């Protein structure tokens, strides 16, 4: 529920969150992240079609399911930083899970104003999404090579 909001979340202690005054996203964080990850996959020009769980992508051979676990600024640690973490599961058309993994990254926020928060969150999201694309691509190649 902490991330199912339009607000920029800040962890101030274990299981304690606040929101940045006067700053909010254009949509709820899970929806924005889903769009972000989809666009990152599309921009690789590697995949025939890219969709997300809210769409019916015709002929999809693979589905990537994600579970957003962290997308916030962490003030509880010694150095303020952005944290992005999510679980993934890649499933083929036959319903077989090809792999699952958690991707996590942090990025320092510097001085800690709203613009730097957005930049740091973007940097952490970019790192995790690049790792996810590489991971999923390798699993898909392996799966395609194993077909008769």
């Amino acid at each position: 529920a902490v991330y199912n909001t339009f607000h920029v979340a800040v962890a101030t202690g274990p299981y304690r969150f606040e929101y940045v005054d006067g700053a909010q996203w254009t949509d709820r964080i899970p929806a924005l992240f889903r769009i972000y990850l989809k666009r990152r996959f599309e921009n690789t020009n590697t995949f025939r079609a890219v969709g997300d769980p809210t769409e019916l992508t015709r002929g999809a051979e693979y589905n990537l399911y994600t579970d957003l676990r962290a997308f916030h600024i962490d003030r509880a640690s010694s150095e303020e930083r952005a944290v992005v973490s999510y679980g993934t599961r890649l499933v083929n058309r036959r319903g077989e899970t090809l792999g699952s993994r958690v991707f996590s990254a942090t990025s320092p926020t510097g001085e800690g104003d709203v613009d730097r928060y957005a930049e740091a969150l973007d940097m952490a999201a970019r790192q995790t999404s690049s790792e996810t694309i590489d991971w999923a691509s390798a699993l898909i190649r392996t799966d395609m090579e194993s077909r008769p």
Side-chain angles (χ1 to χ4, degrees):
V2 170
Y3 306 116
N4 195 19
T5 180
F6 289 85
H7 301 287
V8 179
V10 178
T12 57
Y15 307 108
R16 290 183 40 218
F17 287 87
E18 296 176 357
Y19 298 100
V20 177
D21 288 335
Q24 69 180 44
W25 303 108
T26 57
D27 201 343
R28 293 175 307 105
I29 296 168
L32 284 176
F33 187 74
R34 204 170 38 247
I35 292 166
Y36 177 84
L37 193 57
K38 176 184 171 187
R39 288 187 180 155
R40 293 280 295 174
F41 268 87
E42 287 172 339
N43 291 341
T44 67
N45 295 318
T46 303
F47 305 96
R48 196 170 356 151
V50 178
D52 67 46
T54 63
E55 303 171 338
L56 292 175
T57 306
R58 294 183 57 97
E61 293 187 44
Y62 299 93
N63 288 303
L64 181 71
Y65 298 95
T66 60
D67 171 30
L68 191 63
R69 298 175 183 197
F71 198 92
H72 64 269
I73 303 302
D74 181 7
R75 285 189 188 149
S77 62
S78 60
E79 179 186 343
E80 186 175 85
R81 61 196 176 143
V83 179
V84 173
S85 180
Y86 54 92
T88 60
R89 185 169 55 99
L90 183 65
V91 179
N92 66 16
R93 177 184 286 184
R94 299 176 303 279
E96 301 165 331
T97 296
L98 302 179
S100 61
R101 182 172 164 191
V102 174
F103 293 92
S104 299
T106 62
S107 179
T109 60
E111 295 299 312
D113 64 22
V114 175
D115 291 335
R116 289 187 189 255
Y117 289 165
E119 289 171 12
L121 284 164
D122 180 58
M123 186 175 293
R126 189 174 302 149
Q127 179 183 336
T128 56
S129 61
S130 292
E131 291 171 4
T132 303
I133 291 165
D134 292 345
W135 171 81
S137 297
L139 288 175
I140 290 169
R141 270 193 307 277
T142 301
D143 186 58
M144 293 178 97
E145 290 168 358
S146 69
R147 291 184 192 174

